[in-house]
Amino acid sequence: AQSVTQLGSHVSVSEGALVLLRCNYSSSVPPYLFWYVQYPNQGLQLLLKYTTGATLVKGINGFEAEFKKSETSFHLTKPSAHMSDAAEYFCAVSFSSNTGKLIFGQGTTLQVKP
Amino acid sequence: ETGVTQTPRHLVMGMTNKKSLKCEQHLGHNAMYWYKQSAKKPLELMFVYSLEERVENNSVPSRFSPECPNSSHLFLHLHTLQPEDSALYLCASSQERGLEAFFGQGTRLTVV
């Protein structure tokens, strides 16, 4: 079955530290991969996406993610955390353009400590 | 106005009420979605519309009834809901199914 797993429901980092949020998927076909961010009582905002081509993708707010097919991973990173990065982050995957189903991970809450 | 707009932002309703959630997208997209987000649960896809035709219904109870009158508007009609239906309901749209979705800010629904 196709699925998405985010390791760690809560991640806490200090301001200025590296942010690493993990996402793994299971699929037998090439995926489209996405990271979204959600601030309290808001909708989801797209951070970045991978469809084809370069496996290292850069997104908004200094975030980037790398698609590693051999590891079936799409981890999200940011070199230096900012207080404003505190939010919930969702990894999502779709497997073809004719199903329309974005499958979301459980989410990871990022806490940034001063 | 741009993006995906949902109204109302907050809704409190009794179990015998009938209410509707509205979603409007100004992006020229062909697909629209309803998601349910409950505390401590993954986002649940409820319905998918493509070119105004419902293409997916993820075993959603009949007390939730979607309507897509045109490619820009999506409604979710609510009737005799249960307290466990309290959640954040998110509307989204995408250019085509399976591509990145753009979300509205959601309607926070409380059923009392």
Side-chain angles (χ1 to χ4, degrees):
Chain A
Q2 297 159 337
S3 65
V4 180
T5 302
Q6 290 182 239
L7 295 175
S9 59
H10 287 84
V11 170
S12 181
V13 301
S14 298
E15 190 173 21
L18 171 72
V19 175
L20 171 60
L21 304 182
R22 300 177 187 274
C23 174
N24 288 87
Y25 67 91
S26 63
S27 171
S28 58
V29 298
Y32 295 162
L33 295 157
F34 310 90
W35 274 101
Y36 285 85
V37 61
Q38 185 180 32
Y39 299 101
N41 295 313
Q42 298 291 320
L44 278 67
Q45 180 183 7
L46 182 69
L47 273 178
L48 48 79
K49 65 178 180 180
Y50 169 80
T51 53
T52 58
T55 55
L56 180 63
V57 293
K58 295 185 185 298
I60 62 171
N61 302 338
F63 284 94
E64 61 183 38
E66 185 171 11
F67 169 54
K68 292 187 176 181
K69 184 178 178 181
S70 61
E71 299 177 8
T72 60
S73 69
F74 191 58
H75 301 330
L76 181 71
T77 60
K78 182 173 180 178
S80 177
H82 192 274
M83 296 296 291
S84 60
D85 295 326
E88 188 152 22
Y89 292 80
F90 293 92
C91 181
V93 58
S94 68
F95 297 98
S96 71
S97 62
N98 63 1
T99 66
K101 185 177 286 188
L102 263 182
I103 300 173
F104 284 86
Q106 308 93 309
T108 298
T109 300
L110 176 65
Q111 180 187 24
V112 182
K113 296 180 290 186
Chain B
E1 203 172 338
T2 58
V4 181
T5 304
Q6 289 186 243
T7 54
R9 291 292 311 278
H10 300 273
L11 178 62
V12 179
M13 60 185 289
M15 290 189 283
T16 58
N17 290 159
K18 287 184 181 181
K19 296 286 184 183
S20 295
L21 309 185
K22 179 182 176 183
C23 176
E24 184 173 3
Q25 59 101 355
H26 307 273
L27 300 168
H29 288 167
N30 293 323
M32 296 188 77
Y33 315 82
W34 280 116
Y35 284 87
K36 176 183 178 183
Q37 186 177 31
S38 305
K40 300 181 181 179
K41 282 188 176 180
L43 275 158
E44 302 172 56
L45 178 64
M46 300 175 73
F47 301 104
V48 180
Y49 276 83
S50 177
L51 297 173
E52 304 152 45
E53 177 184 348
R54 190 192 310 180
V55 296
E56 186 151 347
N57 175 348
N58 273 355
S59 303
V60 179
S62 60
R63 57 186 183 270
F64 294 92
S65 174
E67 179 190 2
C68 188
N70 55 62
S71 60
S72 298
H73 293 86
L74 186 65
F75 294 89
L76 187 62
H77 303 299
L78 315 172
H79 177 50
T80 59
L81 295 191
Q82 304 299 311
E84 60 264 29
D85 297 321
S86 299
L88 182 67
Y89 288 85
L90 292 163
C91 175
S93 70
S94 64
Q95 182 60 49
E96 301 292 342
R97 286 182 288 157
L99 298 181
E100 67 267 31
F102 292 80
F103 285 79
Q105 293 189 305
T107 295
R108 173 67 64 185
L109 174 67
T110 303
V111 181
V112 297

